[in-house]
Amino acid sequence: MNRASLIFGGLLVLLVPLSLLAGRVWIDPGATPNAAVILMELRLPRAVLAIVVGAGLGAAGAAMQGYLRNPLADPGLFGIAPMAALGAVASFWFGALLPPAIAAWSLPAFALAGAALAMALLALIAGRTPSGAGGGIALFTLAGLMIASLAGALTALAITLAPNPFALSEIVLWLNGALTDRSWREVWIAAPLVLVGIGVLALAARPLDALTLGDDAARSMGVDPKRLLALLVIGVGLTVGAGVAVAGIIGFVGLIVPHLVRPLTDRLPSSLILPSALAGACLVLVADSAVRVLPFVTELRLGIALSLIGAPFFLWLLLRMRRGIL
């Protein structure tokens, strides 16, 4: 375990107790009535889910930036998150037609199905390139942008044709991303998928290191571009798809976190994936605690809060890169 992992792992240990106590009403375990029930059934599953979602997005962002060799890459830009969101939106349309026992699971099931469809399309389109890693990267980027654009258009169409005002409100609120009212059920849905996804991304770490030397050098070192692409598609699909399935769209985590971690490492992808997972968990946990504390009439949506942080950060990165070019 490198220094960055120790730093963010230690920070996470300190943040968890604080997040359990923080809220519009702060919990005093010795004085608050029903404090144990509130902590175990409301605060703790929400904190665990924030850690799970943030870890998945952070690891996916580090892997994507390593694969594309682009510090501005974000997993949400390549179709998996938008397709998962489209699947979730479809559940608001068709969930009412399902038996009640099945309808309760329709949203995460549809979202995961959307992520799986995006993974299949990426593998089908980008996995057939004969031109090696460079061609695979270019085709992967174009395929992801096409899928994201198509998913965004279909989601907008679904919102426009929403069957009733209640469905429209639910769709818009869910797309903004939040961990409000989540329970242990969502934790058990997302946690296994995210853990498997991070494990798959860890398998891609050494090939990603080789890829930093260039496409030809990576192939000479035994890197199989198609196998690497498959690992990225599966890993990012599981981590991002599971997060969207339980929390909605939470953007910019995969963009911000690797930049926070990179100065503390040797900058190789293999040194970034685990620390980025821990840093992503810290970021989402802090942001979710902050939206609970802010004195607004209704709780600020987590996706909006992180976008308010991420958009200026993205602009700062662009300006810094522009100064470097000039």
Side-chain angles (χ1 to χ4, degrees):
M1 183 175 290
N2 57 31
R3 181 181 61 164
S5 297
L6 293 174
I7 291 173
F8 288 107
L11 182 60
L12 186 61
V13 171
L14 296 176
L15 289 173
V16 169
L18 181 61
S19 72
L20 295 180
L21 303 179
R24 192 70 56 87
V25 176
W26 286 73
I27 300 295
D28 181 351
T32 304
N34 300 316
V37 175
I38 294 172
L39 290 174
M40 293 302 298
E41 299 300 327
L42 297 177
R43 297 282 176 88
L44 185 57
R46 183 166 175 170
V48 173
L49 197 60
I51 291 170
V52 168
V53 172
L57 294 175
M64 289 295 299
Q65 291 182 13
Y67 181 68
L68 297 176
R69 285 165 283 180
N70 185 345
L72 301 181
D74 179 88
L77 299 177
F78 296 99
I80 293 173
M83 281 296 287
L86 176 62
V89 168
S91 75
F92 290 106
W93 273 78
F94 303 113
L97 304 177
L98 300 173
I102 299 176
W105 297 88
S106 63
L107 194 154
F110 274 65
L112 289 171
L117 177 59
M119 292 161 58
L121 289 173
L122 282 172
L124 180 66
I125 298 172
R128 293 181 176 275
T129 176
S131 55
I137 291 172
L139 196 57
F140 178 84
T141 304
L142 293 174
L145 292 175
M146 179 274 293
I147 294 170
S149 178
L150 176 62
L154 292 176
T155 300
L157 178 63
I159 293 173
T160 303
L161 302 177
N164 55 65
F166 174 77
L168 175 61
S169 175
E170 288 294 303
I171 290 171
V172 173
L173 285 176
W174 188 86
L175 287 175
N176 286 328
L179 298 176
T180 310
D181 300 327
R182 301 308 192 264
S183 66
W184 288 110
R185 186 190 73 161
E186 283 77 18
V187 173
W188 295 124
I189 289 172
L193 297 174
V194 170
L195 287 174
V196 172
I198 292 175
V200 172
L201 293 176
L203 293 177
R206 293 301 179 186
L208 288 175
D209 286 351
L211 198 61
T212 61
L213 301 175
D215 301 340
D216 294 335
R219 285 196 297 273
S220 69
M221 297 171 66
V223 173
D224 183 349
K226 291 187 177 182
R227 180 179 180 274
L228 177 57
L229 176 62
L231 290 174
L232 264 293
V233 168
I234 294 170
V236 173
L238 289 173
T239 53
V240 176
V244 174
V246 297
I249 297 292
I250 297 178
F252 290 104
V253 176
L255 171 68
I256 296 173
V257 164
H259 288 277
L260 299 178
V261 174
R262 198 170 280 116
L264 302 174
T265 69
D266 58 10
R267 300 180 180 270
L268 290 174
S270 61
S271 301
L272 279 175
I273 291 176
L274 177 58
S276 293
L278 294 171
C282 292
L283 176 61
V284 176
L285 189 62
V286 168
D288 186 57
S289 300
V291 299
R292 295 204 307 263
V293 172
L294 292 174
F296 295 152
V297 176
T298 59
E299 184 177 299
L300 180 66
R301 309 296 286 185
L302 179 60
I304 296 174
L306 283 168
S307 294
L308 291 174
I309 298 171
F313 184 85
F314 188 73
L315 178 61
W316 174 75
L317 285 177
L318 289 176
L319 293 175
R320 191 176 71 168
M321 293 181 66
R322 179 176 180 271
R323 287 196 298 268
I325 292 173
L326 296 177

